[in-house]
Amino acid sequence: MTGPSDSTGPFDKLVGDARAEFDHAESKPLREAWLGLDLPAIRTDLVQRLRAAGIEEAEIETRHLLTHVLAPATLGQALANPALVSWQRIAHLADLAWARLTRKPLSQVLGSQPFWTLDLQVTGDVLTPRADTETLVEAVLKARPDGALDVLDLGTGSGAILLALLSERPDWRGVGVDLSPAALDVARRNGEACGLTGRAQFAEGRWGGGLADQGFDIVVSNPPYIVSEVMKTLDPEVRDFEPALALDGGAGGLDAYREILADLMRLLRPGGLFACEIGYDQGEAVSALARETGLDGVSVMADLAGQDRVVIGYNS
Ligand code: GLN
């Protein structure tokens, strides 16, 4: 594989690509190892390196990384015409692969993560949206049809929950609150990318504390709920690269729920719905806190793996 030689079809963009130089010192060993290898050999080598670094889904992740650097060509097209793949693309792959080998989450390496029907930008300032959290989106959509409803997302992070809800309900409007200005930047960019800026606002604040006398029909949250002691046992991707602010729920894992619920009835309109994500073993504890707060019809819902994942309740 030598310099860019492609000139037609999906490879057009590879020629004279004005992208930043990919000559980072850290990824030099990868570039050197791959010099002279063809695309299938590089692919095999990357799978082996990822697996050796303890990454279980090494084949799938290699496919994602290759797909990312080869676009707009597909992996299939590139494998069929490996001579057309520019060295610049392989140097880009080396940079991304090096980052992933440090156990940086794939979402942060690629800069985005699919959630619901959306493709959301992700940085180290936000929790990577997880498939589990789609259970919360589904529960709220099931409970409430379209209509002029106001939604509040407490600890919005990337904006994932709020934006997924608004994308499905054209008449809903919403506010996403977060303590982290850096997270709010990500959420705002996602709101723009999803074409939802007209209906989604983002504001800095600690849970609902800064929202005086506002009424919402739906309040949602995926707060930090991991017991502090458990934090150090998490996968390196989560422990070392995702914001502790979005994960650490204090000594019993329930600190954030207590704070959120302390303010909830002031913010939730009569008839309003509250829905939050929970840890697999927190169904009873969070349900009890919700009932103490004065919510009715409190129930727990399971995710696709059958684990308790969502608590909902109503301000009847
Ligand atoms: N489910 C996430 C995890 O296990 C935790 C999310 C949260 O604390 N809200 O990494």
Side-chain angles (χ1 to χ4, degrees), residues 9 105 128 135 173 276:
T128 293
T135 308
R173 311 178 73 84
C276 64

Side-chain angles (χ1 to χ4, degrees), residues 18-308:
R19 249 195 301 214
E21 302 270 308
F22 300 112
D23 58 356
H24 295 115
E26 302 92 337
S27 58
K28 194 170 176 216
L30 281 178
R31 289 198 303 278
E32 283 177 354
W34 292 346
L35 201 62
L37 296 190
D38 63 7
L39 191 61
I42 290 171
R43 181 193 197 184
T44 303
D45 182 70
L46 181 51
V47 170
Q48 283 165 358
R49 285 174 192 268
L50 292 174
R51 193 169 292 132
I55 294 163
E56 276 171 31
E57 304 207 307
E59 282 97 351
I60 295 171
E61 296 210 11
T62 296
R63 173 173 287 273
H64 283 302
L65 291 164
L66 279 165
T67 300
H68 185 87
V69 300
L70 292 169
T74 65
L75 178 55
Q77 286 169 329
L79 287 170
N81 301 282
L84 296 180
V85 178
S86 68
W87 177 248
Q88 203 175 20
R89 300 259 163 176
I90 299 305
H92 186 193
L93 181 69
D95 272 3
L96 300 186
W98 168 79
R100 184 64 186 108
L101 288 166
T102 69
R103 300 295 296 268
K104 187 177 198 171
L106 187 67
S107 58
Q108 292 180 23
V109 172
L110 299 179
S112 69
Q113 172 76 16
F115 179 76
W116 198 250
T117 64
L118 311 173
D119 193 38
L120 297 174
Q121 289 183 36
V122 170
T123 71
D125 294 310
V126 300
L127 192 75
T128 293
R130 287 148 163 72
D132 290 344
T133 305
E134 294 175 349
T135 308
L136 173 55
V137 172
E138 215 176 331
V140 174
L141 292 174
K142 241 183 224 159
R144 290 291 185 260
D146 205 10
L149 300 184
D150 293 307
V151 185
L152 173 62
D153 180 8
L154 296 174
T156 194
S158 65
I161 300 169
L162 180 65
L163 296 172
L165 291 173
L166 298 188
S167 75
E168 295 287 341
R169 296 283 189 260
D171 289 332
W172 291 10
R173 311 178 73 84
V175 179
V177 173
D178 208 287
L179 195 56
S180 157
L184 289 166
D185 284 344
V186 176
R188 287 194 185 102
R189 285 204 298 276
N190 279 325
E192 268 165 44
C194 296
L196 290 168
T197 39
R199 293 189 288 129
Q201 285 187 314
F202 294 97
E204 195 177 330
R206 191 177 176 91
W207 310 123
L211 300 165
D213 301 331
Q214 292 191 42
F216 293 92
D217 304 291
I218 299 169
V219 177
V220 292
S221 184
N222 174 17
Y225 55 67
I226 294 174
V227 171
S228 297
E229 265 301 297
V230 173
M231 288 287 292
K232 56 180 180 285
T233 70
L234 299 175
D235 287 343
E237 283 84 352
V238 181
R239 186 192 62 213
D240 300 339
F241 291 93
E242 294 204 87
L245 184 67
L247 292 161
D248 190 340
L254 300 171
D255 288 1
Y257 299 106
R258 291 203 175 88
E259 265 196 71
I260 289 168
L261 290 168
D263 233 7
L264 182 71
M265 297 316 245
R266 191 174 67 74
L267 300 166
L268 192 59
R269 288 183 182 138
L273 165 73
F274 172 70
C276 64
E277 181 167 320
I278 58 163
Y280 71 96
D281 56 354
Q282 294 172 324
E284 261 179 51
V286 176
S287 297
L289 291 174
R291 283 192 205 96
E292 281 167 31
T293 303
L295 291 170
D296 291 318
V298 173
S299 64
V300 180
M301 289 171 185
D303 60 24
L304 291 174
Q307 310 263 35
D308 286 350

